[in-house]
Amino acid sequence: MNTLPLSGLKVLDLSRLLPGPYATLVLADLGATVDRVEDPAGGDPLRQMPPLSDSGESALFYGLNRNKRSLVLDLKSPAGRDAFLRLVRGYDVLVESFRPGVMERLGLGWDALHALHPRLIYCAISGYGQTGPDRLRAGHDLNYVARAGVLGYGGQTDGAPAFPGVQIGDIGGGSLFALVGVLAALHERERTGQGRFVDVSMTDGALAFLHMHLAARLFLGDEAPPLRRGTDVLNGGFAGYGLYRTSDGRYLSVGALEPKFFAGVCEVLGRPELLADGYSPGEAGARVKAELTRLFAEHPLAYWMERFTGRDVCVEPVLEGDEVLADAQLRARGLFARSVDTPRGRAVTHLLTPLRLGDTPLRPPPSLGQHSREILQEAGLSLEEIEKLGIQVMPGIG
């Protein structure tokens, strides 16, 4: 049998919405046992967020929570807190995404849990981190990338910042750095036998997307101007690296950064002389960009893709909507996996997480509290003790 690399790892997930659940989805897809602790009053708010299926189930929750189990506990009640303290002893990793101080007020913060279970790795994902003047400030992904300077670095020179459309801070700044921290702490634990507190700030993590540009700016100091959108090599300042509209309202991504690639683009356009000023600052470079804008706008996307077929010059179509589902490269990589969800009586296409080190299990997400009794019994609670908690499993599929 092919054993996944994280088989045997036990993760207790108290997080909600996107950053924590995506991190634990990756862990679950790699073989970890991930058990979600949810509030009895509705569970993860994502369960109620549209779009909803005909049965009223959130498609967003479904996409983030396969291969996990769910139990409900009222952590604000003494009985629920005590049950949690017994439960947590059996886990390797805890992930939570409350504002700083919430777990401490419940008596379940890092200090208390480390004293109880020294090998536990405790990962806290928050908007601004556990320290600093804004540690308790509310925010969402758009706010984090705005504060990190990432939002302000994209878009036209004299226009508005480019709305990212996807959750860069949540996934890139939160989920992925949480995974790095957890896996590093697991490696360290092999040597020391001790767990570690992993403080993940989504704003700090978002800043990493600006690392190359801002680190260079810091190195040059007063010799370099501040970063500005639409002017640098990789954010629209050069003709050979940008987006161009075609006559049918579609877009081409031209990533011909190196001269050998840009020369190929100019050759396809029938304008080899444009290479000379393609990397020039100021008006000369702007003229080349304007000419590319005019030329690409003369024909539809299909025409240009045919012209660039077989040419290794870093030009790709901007896929939109469901086009990504038909992309030959993505399909060949096995990112879309079809399975039958027997409890729901339907076939489902799963979007897999990018790193696959074996056959990804495709168990459907749990209904709220579906595994409460099972998980608590594994932690050593008797049926009588579980009944006293008053746990009610919400009706659902699974």
Side-chain angles (χ1 to χ4, degrees):
M1 180 177 177
N2 182 22
T3 302
L4 290 164
L6 296 184
S7 294
L9 184 73
K10 294 193 68 178
V11 179
L12 202 56
D13 182 6
L14 281 71
S15 66
R16 303 185 235 179
L17 301 174
L18 175 57
Y22 185 79
T24 58
L25 174 63
V26 174
L27 296 173
D29 280 2
L30 291 173
T33 295
V34 175
D35 293 336
R36 301 211 59 188
V37 178
E38 299 187 72
D39 190 322
D44 185 341
L46 200 65
R47 286 184 179 273
Q48 286 78 50
M49 287 191 181
L52 305 177
S53 68
D54 292 341
S55 63
E57 186 174 16
S58 170
L60 299 178
F61 184 87
Y62 192 101
L64 285 171
N65 289 284
R66 65 170 171 263
N67 300 327
K68 301 178 185 179
R69 301 191 296 178
S70 170
L71 74 152
V72 292
L73 275 181
D74 181 3
L75 298 180
K76 295 179 181 178
S77 73
R81 176 184 174 278
D82 289 345
F84 180 86
L85 290 172
R86 289 177 65 179
L87 178 71
V88 75
R89 292 186 179 98
Y91 289 82
D92 299 288
V93 178
L94 179 146
V95 178
E96 56 100 338
S97 59
F98 299 115
R99 290 200 209 188
V102 169
M103 289 289 280
E104 283 74 15
R105 288 195 294 275
L106 294 171
L108 303 174
W110 161 248
D111 289 339
L113 295 186
H114 182 63
L116 175 73
H117 181 9
R119 289 179 57 82
L120 180 70
I121 290 155
Y122 183 123
C123 178
I125 305 172
S126 62
Y128 300 101
Q130 302 295 308
T131 59
D134 291 332
R135 57 192 289 269
L136 300 179
R137 191 178 181 89
H140 279 298
D141 185 274
L142 194 65
N143 308 124
Y144 309 143
V145 295
R147 286 291 297 273
V150 174
L151 194 63
Y153 198 54
Q156 297 297 317
T157 307
D158 298 316
F163 198 95
V166 294
Q167 285 63 56
I168 296 172
D170 284 357
I171 296 290
S175 309
L176 299 186
F177 277 101
L179 288 165
V180 171
V182 165
L183 295 174
L186 284 168
H187 178 73
E188 179 189 45
R189 193 180 70 176
E190 290 296 307
R191 184 178 72 253
T192 66
Q194 293 290 307
R196 179 180 282 273
F197 183 79
V198 180
D199 173 10
V200 176
S201 157
M202 288 180 269
T203 304
D204 293 0
L207 187 64
F209 287 86
L210 206 58
H211 184 98
M212 181 170 69
H213 315 286
L214 189 57
R217 164 78 177 91
L218 292 171
F219 170 71
L220 293 173
D222 293 339
E223 301 173 31
L227 302 182
R228 183 166 174 248
R229 63 176 167 273
T231 62
D232 291 336
V233 176
L234 298 179
N235 75 346
F238 279 18
Y241 200 88
L243 300 174
Y244 291 95
R245 195 174 191 269
T246 57
S247 66
D248 55 347
R250 297 297 302 274
Y251 287 86
L252 279 169
S253 67
V254 178
L257 188 61
E258 295 86 351
K260 66 176 181 178
F261 294 134
F262 191 51
V265 171
C266 295
E267 184 180 331
V268 169
L269 292 172
R271 298 291 302 278
E273 75 279 5
L274 293 177
L275 176 64
D277 287 329
Y279 298 88
S280 300
E283 292 185 6
R287 283 194 297 269
V288 175
K289 190 172 183 178
E291 185 63 5
L292 261 65
T293 299
R294 185 188 70 79
L295 290 168
F296 281 123
E298 289 181 347
H299 300 285
L301 180 67
Y303 169 88
W304 289 116
M305 292 317 301
E306 183 178 352
R307 291 290 306 276
F308 282 106
T309 296
R311 302 298 297 264
D312 192 27
V313 292
C314 306
V315 173
E316 298 289 352
V318 175
L319 300 186
E320 300 194 24
D322 284 348
E323 288 177 337
V324 67
L325 301 176
D327 185 83
Q329 175 64 22
L330 297 178
R331 292 181 69 84
R333 293 288 294 169
L335 288 164
F336 311 114
R338 192 80 167 163
S339 73
V340 175
D341 185 334
T342 302
R344 290 164 178 80
R346 59 180 294 184
V348 176
T349 299
H350 293 265
L351 175 60
L352 300 190
T353 47
L355 185 63
R356 294 181 302 285
L357 302 177
D359 293 333
T360 303
L362 296 174
R363 296 186 302 276
S367 57
L368 180 59
Q370 178 182 340
H371 305 96
S372 294
R373 291 179 176 86
E374 176 185 339
I375 294 170
L376 291 171
Q377 281 185 285
E378 290 173 6
L381 276 75
S382 67
L383 289 174
E384 182 181 4
E385 289 173 313
I386 294 171
E387 290 300 322
K388 286 182 179 178
L389 289 171
I391 291 172
Q392 299 294 320
V393 179
M394 298 291 288
I397 301 170

